[in-house]
Amino acid sequence: MTPAIRTQRLSKVYGDRTVVADLDLNVPTGCVYGFLGPNGSGKTTTMKMILSLVRPSRGAIELMGRPLDRSTRRSLLRRVGSLIEAPPGYGHLTGGENMRVVQRLLGLSDRQVTRAVETVRLRDHLGRKVGTYSLGMKQRLGIAMALAREPALLLLDEPTNGLDPAGIEEIRDLLSALAAAGTTVMVSSHLLGEIDRTATVLGILGGGRLLFEGPREDLLARSAPEVLFETSDPRHAASLVAPHHRVRIDGATVRVRGVDHRATARIVAALVRHGVDVHGVSRERRSLEDVFRDLTGGRGL
Ligand SMILES: Nc1ncnc2c1ncn2[C@@H]1O[C@H](COP(=O)(O)OP(=O)(O)O)[C@@H](O)[C@H]1O
Ligand SMILES: [Mg+2]
């Protein structure tokens, strides 16, 4: 199937700083694509390039199978809705008035506007000034504005930023419902936990580079288990294991990364041989957060 977004060697250079470097993105049609990375890793810049709000320094972009260039830009971007950075909308106007501004600007029908407002569940609040909205309501209004044109592709930049857990949950549910209805959703976050359960495909940026892209399960598969050794002398135990494995002391426990069954047996034997009592051995699968932290060089979360 044609990807909703494909980029080839997409790059952005500001002065002598490369902030987005040779991105080859593939956003499959109809998925929620979680675009993750620490602050400053280039998420917003990339999304702005996809939306033609920032000019790429290098590389190519295809949307819905067609190259994005001067001749196709208008017709392609008509099918793309977006919410980048702060939620849009005039605070001194009501939610309904803001929606009418968008309606007139894009020549949308009443039905399209009503549907968008109902999707984000703002119908009962349309008479209120947007300045009195909570952050979550403002985000939802922003999403309604992006949705009203019934886009094939929706780009949302950190829509859960600053929301409370209930607000985050609401956005998550909304994204899943949109994808189930056929809209491709690309959603960014610097917090893995805010979208990882909703996103079926993940793209992870670090320092402007794509560190991982693929199904969420593939990332999980990378989370090799750690073996935990409870010993009488964790420091001594760690010093014996450290030359051969990645080791971390955690209280009375020594955590060893990436050891199979045979290596586990060898470690136990070595510890005992050196007079370290082994009180317990267990395996623990690493969380997605750990993998994310590894990939992004500890700057994640
Ligand atoms: N207009 C600009 N001029 C110079 N540097 C910029 C500009 N916009 C963004 N940057 C830099 O590019 C890097 C990536 O920024 P951004 O795309 O906003 O990252 P993210 O959205 O992942 O936090 C940051 O270091 C930022 O300071
Ligand atoms: Mg950003």
Side-chain angles (χ1 to χ4, degrees), residues 1-148:
M1 192 142 89
T2 314
I5 304 173
R6 199 160 84 99
T7 70
Q8 281 171 299
R9 305 206 60 192
L10 184 63
S11 307
K12 183 67 191 179
V13 180
Y14 284 117
D16 57 2
R17 273 195 67 206
T18 301
V19 298
V20 174
D22 294 322
L23 284 198
D24 293 331
L25 297 181
N26 251 292
V27 178
T29 297
C31 74
V32 175
Y33 182 98
F35 195 38
L36 296 165
N39 284 324
S41 56
K43 304 179 298 294
T44 300
T45 304
T46 301
M47 292 173 113
K48 283 184 171 172
M49 287 194 283
I50 293 168
L51 291 163
S52 297
L53 299 173
V54 161
R55 186 200 295 273
S57 304
R58 230 188 6 258
I61 301 171
E62 276 177 28
L63 297 181
M64 281 80 75
R66 287 173 63 203
L68 182 68
D69 57 37
R70 216 180 306 165
S71 68
T72 59
R73 184 168 299 148
R74 268 178 73 92
S75 66
L76 281 175
L77 292 179
R78 240 201 308 269
R79 299 166 63 196
V80 182
S82 63
L83 173 58
I84 300 288
E85 291 169 331
Y90 300 106
H92 65 285
L93 299 183
T94 67
E97 286 164 347
N98 272 289
M99 288 307 296
R100 264 197 296 286
V101 171
V102 173
Q103 179 175 13
R104 263 189 239 121
L105 209 63
L106 299 174
L108 305 174
S109 68
D110 289 345
R111 187 196 60 81
Q112 285 176 305
V113 170
T114 306
R115 262 192 68 166
V117 166
E118 279 174 358
T119 304
V120 301
R121 290 191 279 122
L122 270 184
R123 202 186 175 158
D124 296 340
H125 306 284
L126 286 185
R128 264 174 63 186
K129 286 208 164 74
V130 168
T132 71
Y133 277 14
S134 68
L135 182 59
M137 290 167 73
K138 284 180 186 160
Q139 292 286 35
R140 273 150 55 206
L141 180 69
I143 295 175
M145 289 171 149
L147 271 182

